[in-house]
């Protein structure tokens, strides 16, 4: 990020049984409120589920997932999703931050665990909305390889009335990050946009912008 760059650039990962267009709609209020601070690039997960949902014009559209529970358990499709993120960084980057929603937030945590401990990580910060630590065997084996916490600047958004990802599941994410801020809100499974939460997001983005400028002045790019 340069001094002449006003906005952060954030790569977004949608939730399970969604696609980029669905998340674009569901995150519309959030992205509109934050457009002064960030631009958002939303990508499709690589694995297509059998079911479809109507798109904005009423035509059937595929829904997607970042990994599957098919056999063998040692091949959930995670590697393909990791490579998709890497390709996005190479082709559409550089990005300042990574944002994930639900399963996408879980993938963001896995990605951070694998790659954000490097000297020059792909992202300078991560936002996990309704995040959780995946209990898939392949993923647990990855996260159990080290006790070293992830130092990247992080924001975990937790809905106290989330009936899909319970609070206790989201709270476990904090065990993996050393610089994590939690935003609890009284809502459910979504991105909260009340005035109090907007202030938290804005402050976080402002801090991230300062962080990115500082790193660039030191010759470190995210």
């Amino acid at each position: 990020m340069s001094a002449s760059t006003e906005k952060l650039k954030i790569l977004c990962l949608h939730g399970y049984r969604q696609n980029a267009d669905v998340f674009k709609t569901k995150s519309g209020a959030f992205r509109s409120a934050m457009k002064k601070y960030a631009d958002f690039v939303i990508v499709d997960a690589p694995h297509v589920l059998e079911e479809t949902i109507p798109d904005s014009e009423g035509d059937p559209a595929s829904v997607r997932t970042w990994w599957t529970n098919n056999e063998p358990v040692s091949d959930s499709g995670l590697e393909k999703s990791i490579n998709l993120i890497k390709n996005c960084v190479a082709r559409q980057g550089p990005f300042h931050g990574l944002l994930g929603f639900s399963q996408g937030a879980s993938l963001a945590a896995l990605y951070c665990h694998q790659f954000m401990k490097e000297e020059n990580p792909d992202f300078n910060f991560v936002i996990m909305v309704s995040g959780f630590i995946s209990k898939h065997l392949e993923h647990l084996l990855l996260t159990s390889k080290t006790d070293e916490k992830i130092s990247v600047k992080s924001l975990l958004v937790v809905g106290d009335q989330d009936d899909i990802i319970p609070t206790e599941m989201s709270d476990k994410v904090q065990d993996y990050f050393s610089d994590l801020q939690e935003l609890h809100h009284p809502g459910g499974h979504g991105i909260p946009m009340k005035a109090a939460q907007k202030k938290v997001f804005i402050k976080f983005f402002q801090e991230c912008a300062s962080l990115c400028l500082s790193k660039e002045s030191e010759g470190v790019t995210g």
Side-chain angles (χ1 to χ4, degrees):
M1 187 178 190
S2 66
S4 61
T5 302
E6 296 183 354
K7 294 184 181 182
L8 298 162
K9 186 176 180 181
I10 302 174
L11 180 64
C12 302
L13 311 176
H14 61 73
Y16 176 67
R17 293 179 66 244
Q18 292 186 351
N19 55 42
D21 287 339
V22 169
F23 187 67
K24 184 177 181 180
T25 299
K26 289 183 176 294
S27 64
F30 167 75
R31 290 183 298 103
S32 177
M34 298 297 121
K35 64 183 179 181
K36 176 181 176 181
Y37 307 96
D39 290 323
F40 302 89
V41 178
I42 307 172
V43 294
D44 277 319
H47 306 290
V48 179
L49 298 171
E50 292 183 358
E51 59 190 291
T52 62
I53 58 173
D55 63 14
S56 59
E57 297 182 356
D59 297 321
S62 61
V63 291
R64 295 170 176 263
T65 181
W66 294 105
W67 63 77
T68 69
N69 292 314
N70 299 334
E71 297 292 340
V73 295
S74 60
D75 183 16
S76 66
L78 176 64
E79 183 177 2
K80 193 170 184 179
S81 292
I82 292 293
N83 288 337
L84 184 146
I85 295 175
K86 284 286 186 182
N87 288 336
C88 285
V89 171
R91 297 173 182 175
Q92 301 181 58
F95 290 94
H96 301 110
L98 180 65
L99 182 152
F101 173 70
S102 197
Q103 190 195 46
S106 185
L107 174 61
L110 284 165
Y111 191 89
C112 288
H113 190 275
Q114 286 192 268
F115 300 107
M116 300 287 271
K117 298 173 185 176
E118 301 172 352
E119 185 174 349
N120 296 313
D122 293 329
F123 305 97
N124 290 316
F125 63 90
V126 60
I127 301 173
M128 296 163 284
V129 182
S130 295
F132 62 96
I133 300 300
S134 171
K135 295 185 179 298
H136 191 286
L137 178 59
E138 179 191 9
H139 308 167
L140 289 174
L141 290 173
L142 289 173
T143 55
S144 65
K145 287 182 178 180
T146 176
D147 293 329
E148 180 186 359
K149 288 196 173 184
I150 304 155
S151 60
V152 66
K153 185 174 179 63
S154 312
L155 177 65
L156 175 66
V157 183
V158 182
D160 293 333
Q161 300 300 316
D162 193 330
D163 56 359
I164 297 177
I165 307 297
T167 301
E168 55 269 23
M169 281 184 66
S170 284
D171 284 342
K172 291 185 183 300
V173 174
Q174 64 185 313
D175 296 337
Y176 293 81
F177 291 82
S178 61
D179 185 13
L180 183 138
Q181 175 185 350
E182 280 198 68
L183 167 58
H184 277 260
H185 63 92
H189 197 65
I191 305 177
M193 284 311 299
K194 298 292 187 182
Q197 289 93 49
K198 285 183 184 179
K199 289 181 180 178
V200 174
F201 285 125
I202 291 171
K203 184 173 184 293
F204 185 80
F205 282 144
Q206 290 172 335
E207 291 173 352
C208 290
S210 296
L211 172 66
C212 292
L213 285 171
S214 175
K215 286 193 173 185
E216 184 171 88
S217 68
E218 297 171 1
V220 178
T221 56

